[in-house]
């Protein structure tokens, strides 16, 4: 199968950005009527006043790496890498999605004053980087290396990672429970093929994951089997 030269992933990234931009005023209104949406909005809005969430760019500094995590488990996996960078006095940025990990991230950052910035992932408050409204990771991020953990493939992070100047890394990567054979759904197959081959380097926890990524075209030289737990 061939997609005829059409790049599915860039279309997906662009389409989701347009859709989320259109939905922004509706989300802003409906959050008053939807408690879960209001809680998420309030969670992300903490970034505006939280000193830890202020960009290194405001101080004219540049981080070495941006890590993105969702759960406490994922945060625990990156801690050894983060500590190694901090021991070398490298600036680190952390992007986290779940409110459940907020306290743990905050306590960790307090042990390294001035060396870490931590931002809550803007999902409902997202707005494109070129419009100074809402929140956007691209406007905030100063690092030239982006490291994702497991499978949080948010479209704005994929857009950043695919930039020529960005070093894009995946750790603890997995395609568990994903049936991605080209005969099952070739558009879905080529979407995931474009996605995983966007990474410059990746680690996977088990050999089965390594085989799954290789089947999608990731070169063996870019995959290492390494368990972070």
């Amino acid at each position: 199968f061939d997609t005829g030269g059409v790049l599915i992933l860039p279309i997906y990234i662009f389409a989701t950005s347009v859709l989320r931009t259109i939905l922004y005023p509706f989300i802003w209104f409906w959050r008053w009527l939807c408690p879960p949406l209001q809680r998420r909005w309030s969670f992300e809005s903490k970034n505006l006043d939280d000193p830890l969430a202020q960009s290194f760019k405001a101080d004219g500094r540049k981080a070495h790496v941006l890590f993105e995590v969702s759960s406490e488990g994922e945060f625990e996996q990156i801690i050894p890498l983060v500590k190694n960078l901090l021991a070398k006095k490298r600036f680190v940025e952390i992007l986290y999605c779940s409110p459940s990990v907020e306290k743990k991230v905050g306590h960790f950052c307090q042990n390294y004053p001035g060396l870490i910035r931590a931002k809550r992932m803007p999902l409902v408050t997202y707005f494109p980087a070129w419009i100074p409204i809402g929140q956007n990771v691209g406007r905030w991020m100063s690092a030239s290396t982006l490291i994702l953990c497991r499978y949080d493939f948010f479209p704005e992070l994929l857009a950043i990672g695919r930039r020529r100047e960005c070093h894009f890394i995946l750790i603890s990567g997995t395609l568990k429970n994903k049936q991605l054979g080209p005969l099952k759904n070739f558009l879905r197959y080529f979407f995931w093929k474009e996605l995983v081959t966007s990474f410059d380097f990746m680690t996977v926890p088990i050999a089965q994951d390594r085989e799954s990524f290789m089947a999608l075209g990731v070169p063996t030289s870019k995959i290492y089997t390494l368990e972070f737990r």
Side-chain angles (χ1 to χ4, degrees):
F1 290 101
D2 192 334
T3 57
V6 176
L7 298 177
I8 301 173
L9 189 57
I11 294 174
Y12 163 76
I13 292 171
F14 175 76
T16 54
S17 179
V18 171
L19 178 61
R20 291 169 74 186
T21 303
I22 294 172
L23 289 176
Y24 183 89
F26 296 96
I27 293 173
W28 181 89
F29 174 77
W30 282 107
R31 67 190 174 97
W32 301 110
L33 305 176
C34 179
L37 190 59
Q38 175 61 32
R39 286 194 294 271
R40 182 69 203 187
W41 187 285
S42 298
F43 171 69
E44 296 177 13
S45 295
K46 292 180 183 179
N47 288 328
L48 303 178
D49 300 316
D50 185 356
L52 280 176
Q54 304 314 301
S55 175
F56 276 122
K57 292 178 180 179
D59 302 326
R61 293 184 289 176
K62 180 179 173 64
H64 188 70
V65 178
L66 166 61
F67 292 92
E68 188 278 331
V69 297
S70 179
S71 66
E72 289 190 42
E74 292 176 6
F75 181 60
E76 292 290 342
Q77 290 184 56
I78 70 164
I79 283 179
L81 299 175
V82 174
K83 285 184 174 180
N84 181 267
L85 290 167
L86 295 173
K88 300 175 182 177
K89 301 301 180 182
R90 301 285 181 88
F91 297 123
V92 173
E93 294 169 330
I94 298 175
L95 188 66
Y96 60 98
C97 186
S98 174
S100 66
V101 76
E102 181 180 24
K103 286 186 178 180
K104 182 165 285 190
V105 170
H107 290 156
F108 180 83
C109 293
Q110 288 173 6
N111 295 323
Y112 302 92
L115 292 177
I116 308 181
R117 293 291 185 268
K119 185 180 183 71
R120 300 156 188 84
M121 181 72 187
L123 300 179
V124 299
T125 58
Y126 165 88
F127 222 74
W130 49 276
I131 303 177
I133 301 174
Q135 301 188 58
N136 185 279
V137 176
R139 289 200 301 263
W140 177 82
M141 174 183 178
S142 66
S144 56
T145 296
L146 172 59
I147 300 180
L148 307 187
C149 187
R150 299 195 73 193
Y151 41 64
D152 286 341
F153 303 132
F154 296 108
E156 58 266 50
L157 300 183
L158 296 176
I160 294 170
R162 286 168 59 85
R163 294 175 185 168
R164 183 174 299 177
E165 69 274 14
C166 184
H167 193 44
F168 200 22
I169 299 172
L170 175 66
I171 62 172
S172 299
T174 180
L175 295 172
K176 186 178 179 180
N177 298 325
K178 287 185 171 59
Q179 303 297 322
L180 299 173
L183 297 179
K184 295 180 180 294
N185 185 326
F186 78 93
L187 285 178
R188 187 166 180 257
Y189 169 80
F190 279 104
F191 169 83
W192 279 97
K193 181 180 177 68
E194 283 185 58
L195 193 159
V196 300
T197 55
S198 297
F199 291 99
D200 299 303
F201 174 85
M202 65 173 62
T203 69
V204 296
I206 59 176
Q208 183 179 350
D209 288 313
R210 177 185 174 88
E211 293 171 3
S212 297
F213 282 106
M214 288 172 57
L216 286 171
V218 179
T220 57
S221 59
K222 292 186 176 183
I223 313 177
Y224 286 83
T225 304
L226 182 64
E227 178 59 75
F228 280 87
R229 293 184 184 276

